[in-house]
Every structure is written in C-alpha cells, then in structure tokens.
C-alpha cells in the first residue's frame, strides 16, 4: 500500500468547507437612478437665494391677495330695485342683512400658522349646541351663534378684539366686495340641463332617447373605460359660488342692511360671506378698533 503524501501547511481545504466570514461591503440591491446627483459648480456660490418652500415664504407670496380686514356673515333677504335720482337709471340689487355679527376667536401665525378671524352671526339655543362648542363660546365670553365662518387676514393688524360686534357700516357705499354663498341645488339633473348638451335628433331613427347623453367613451382605442372628469348626468348645484367685484350701493346701519348691485349666488335665506374684493384697491377706511397690547404681544 503506497504511503500518503505529506500534508503541506500551505494547503487549504476546499472553499465550500471554509467558514463564511461577514463582509463589510453590502451590495446595493435597490433601483439605480438614471440621473444620479452630481456636484454642480453653480450651487457653491455665497449668493444663493433662500429656500422658498417654507410656510412663512408661502404666506408672503399670498400677502398681496390677502384682505387687510375681516369679512362678515349675512343673510340674503331677496332682490329689489333702486333708482339713481340723477340719471333715473334703475339698478337691480340684492339685500343682505347682518344679524348680530360678532368676533368669536382668532387664528394666529404662532399657534395656527396664519392669521384669521372667526366670526359668528345669529343666535342659537344652548340646548341645541354641542358641549365642545359651548365650551368654545364660554371661553371667549360670546353667546352661541347660529353660523360660524373664518376669514383670513394679512397680519395681526386685521385681528379685531374678541366680542366686538361688526355692523353694516363696516362697508362703505361705493366699495367693492366678494360675495360667497352656496348656489341653489337642482338635485339630480341630466346632461342637457347640467352641461348644456344639445341632445339627440328629434327624428331620423331616434327612439325614446332624445335627451339621452349618448356614448360615454370609445372602446378599444380609449382603453375600454370612461375617462375621469367625463361630463355626465349627476347632482347639480349646491356648491359654493363666488361673485367678485360686487359694488355696495347702500348701507343701512340701523337695520343692518347692505345693498349690493346685481345678483349673487344662493336662494333667499342663505348665508352669504362678504369680504373686501381682492381684485380691487383696498378701501381706505380708518380702523376705529384698536388691537389690545396683550394680543399683539402674543401673536408676534
């Protein structure tokens, strides 16, 4: 029997018998970007603009179109007509009545990220108000309100004192306002009424589908589906509509009436939000309400 060859000290077992050692290099198993970030010599300057994706910069961009003063809540009473005594011209107008409009709370940039005034109107029995809302009214010393709304203002100068009553003289004759209200709901309407479709022909082979919408989309060429946003039959009306640049014809501070030129959205009895028009120069009206010193110290 031949003798075994001597085992050398430099001879190692097969690789599959060696213990597996932890590797420091971890392979990248993710998806490699087609456009990896590369150093750009143009981003190393000392005069780079500041980051414009912050909340403060966003408010500065909107400051030009943010009203200086708060708005009010009113009730649309109906339409009438007035005559110009100088020219004899007849103007159709809308009458809006303000009922116990009062400042309820504030929204500040430090606490909420923006400046706004919460306004309430009317009156509501405490038994018909939820307990959290009753605590909200009790905290600010205001009676329960029928309607609540929030109006953004540019800065702390537009924050009125809590509990202050806003009257019809808040607006002046000749200025322009934006009127927002929910338009009259039509219910479920067809395509002809809702979108102005012309409908199908009255004859020439059309049977019982004269007011039908027709085809809702193609077959194979369009993916055999209905595209999002397709004009079809559905619920019509009931959404908020803003009528801009409405002129104030008359103001009755005793009865709380504001007479607007023309028509606005909504049926009689709906709630209307009135605020200074954003597309017209701001009214030059001195603010007769001073902000308390303690309020200014808390919002800055």
């Amino acid at each position: 029997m031949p003798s075994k060859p001597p085992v050398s000290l430099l001879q190692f077992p097969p690789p599959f018998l060696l213990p597996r050692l932890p590797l420091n290099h971890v392979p990248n198993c993710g998806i490699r970007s087609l456009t990896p970030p590369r150093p750009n010599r143009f981003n190393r300057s000392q005069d780079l603009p500041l980051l414009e994706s912050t909340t403060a910069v966003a408010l500065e961009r909107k400051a030009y179109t943010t009203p200086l003063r708060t708005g009010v809540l009113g009730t649309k009473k109906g339409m009438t007509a007035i005559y110009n005594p100088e020219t004899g011209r007849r103007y159709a107008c809308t009458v809006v009545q303000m009922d116990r409009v009062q400042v309820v709370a504030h929204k500040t940039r430090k606490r909420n990220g923006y400046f706004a005034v919460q306004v309430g109107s009317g009156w509501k029995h405490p038994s018909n108000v939820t307990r959290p809302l009753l605590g909200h009214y009790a905290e600010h010393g205001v009676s329960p309100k029928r309607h609540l709304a929030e109006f953004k203002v540019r800065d702390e100068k537009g924050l009125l004192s809590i509990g202050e009553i806003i009257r019809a003289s808040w607006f002046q004759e000749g200025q322009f306002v934006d009127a927002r209200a929910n338009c009259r709901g039509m219910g479920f309407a067809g395509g002809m009424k809702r979108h102005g479709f012309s409908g199908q022909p009255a004859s020439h082979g059309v049977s019982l589908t004269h007011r039908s919408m027709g085809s809702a989309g193609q077959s194979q060429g369009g993916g055999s589906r209905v595209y999002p946003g397709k004009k079809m039959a559905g619920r019509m009306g009931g959404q908020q509509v803003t009528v801009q640049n409405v002129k104030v014809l008359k103001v009755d501070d005793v009865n709380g009436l504001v007479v607007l030129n023309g028509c606005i959205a909504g049926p009689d009895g709906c709630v209307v939000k009135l605020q200074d028009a954003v597309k017209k120069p701001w009214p030059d009206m001195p603010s007769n309400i001073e902000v308390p010193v303690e309020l200014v110290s808390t919002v800055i």
Side-chain angles (χ1 to χ4, degrees):
M1 183 175 182
S3 61
K4 295 181 178 180
V7 179
S8 176
L9 296 177
L10 298 177
Q11 187 176 359
F12 293 96
F16 63 88
L17 295 179
L18 294 176
R20 293 185 177 182
L21 301 177
L23 300 177
N24 296 330
H25 174 69
V26 179
N28 187 8
C29 300
I31 301 176
R32 181 176 298 179
S33 175
L34 297 178
T35 57
R38 297 179 179 179
N40 188 356
R41 62 186 180 91
F42 297 102
N43 289 338
R44 299 181 181 180
S45 174
Q46 298 294 334
D47 300 330
L48 291 177
L50 297 177
L51 187 64
E52 297 184 356
S53 61
T54 60
T55 307
V57 178
L59 292 176
E60 291 180 2
R61 290 196 298 264
K62 299 177 182 179
Y64 182 75
T65 57
T66 304
L68 303 175
R69 310 187 307 161
T70 180
V72 301
L73 288 175
T75 304
K76 181 179 177 181
K77 307 303 292 185
M79 293 194 65
T80 182
I82 60 176
Y83 290 87
N84 189 345
E86 298 179 357
T87 61
R89 183 179 176 183
R90 180 180 183 272
Y91 292 92
C93 56
T94 304
V95 180
V96 178
Q97 187 174 22
M98 299 168 53
D99 181 19
R100 290 164 283 188
V101 180
Q102 196 172 8
V103 178
V104 177
H106 292 154
K107 297 293 181 67
T108 60
R109 180 177 297 181
K110 182 178 180 180
R111 184 172 63 250
N112 307 103
Y114 60 96
F115 292 105
V117 180
Q118 190 181 54
V119 177
S121 67
W123 181 82
K124 201 171 186 179
H125 198 277
S127 62
N128 296 328
V129 182
T130 59
R131 289 187 178 182
L133 202 53
L134 280 177
H136 177 68
Y137 290 125
E139 179 184 0
H140 299 92
V142 181
S143 61
K145 296 296 181 179
R146 173 67 61 177
H147 306 287
L148 275 178
E150 185 178 295
F151 297 92
K152 279 189 176 182
V153 293
R154 180 179 299 181
D155 48 21
E156 66 275 0
K157 297 180 181 179
L159 300 178
L160 304 181
S161 58
I162 296 178
E164 185 70 32
I165 297 178
I166 304 178
R167 305 185 182 277
S169 56
W170 183 252
F171 302 106
Q172 61 181 354
E173 296 182 3
Q175 80 162 100
F176 294 88
V177 297
D178 292 340
R180 298 190 293 270
N182 292 333
C183 64
R184 183 167 58 93
M186 305 291 183
F188 193 92
M192 296 182 65
K193 181 177 180 180
R194 190 183 185 195
H195 301 291
F197 291 167
S198 60
Q200 305 295 331
S203 62
H204 298 287
V206 178
S207 301
L208 304 180
T209 57
H210 305 286
R211 298 183 63 87
S212 175
M213 182 186 69
S215 176
Q218 58 272 36
S219 178
Q220 185 178 1
S224 300
R225 64 192 181 98
V226 178
Y227 288 156
K230 169 64 180 174
K231 295 181 179 180
M232 305 175 71
R235 185 171 295 179
M236 179 180 177
Q239 71 271 10
Q240 179 176 282
V241 176
T242 302
V243 182
Q244 296 181 331
N245 304 332
V246 183
K247 188 176 182 180
V248 178
L249 298 180
K250 282 189 177 182
V251 174
D252 187 354
D253 199 13
V254 177
N255 298 318
L257 301 178
V258 179
V259 182
L260 306 176
N261 184 26
C263 61
I264 61 176
D268 295 346
C270 69
V271 180
V272 182
K273 301 177 184 178
L274 298 179
Q275 199 169 11
D276 297 337
V278 298
K279 294 184 179 179
K280 294 289 185 178
W282 304 121
D284 188 10
M285 299 182 62
S287 178
N288 54 359
I289 305 174
E290 298 182 357
V291 181
V293 179
E294 60 273 8
L295 177 60
V296 177
S297 60
T298 56
V299 300
I300 297 178

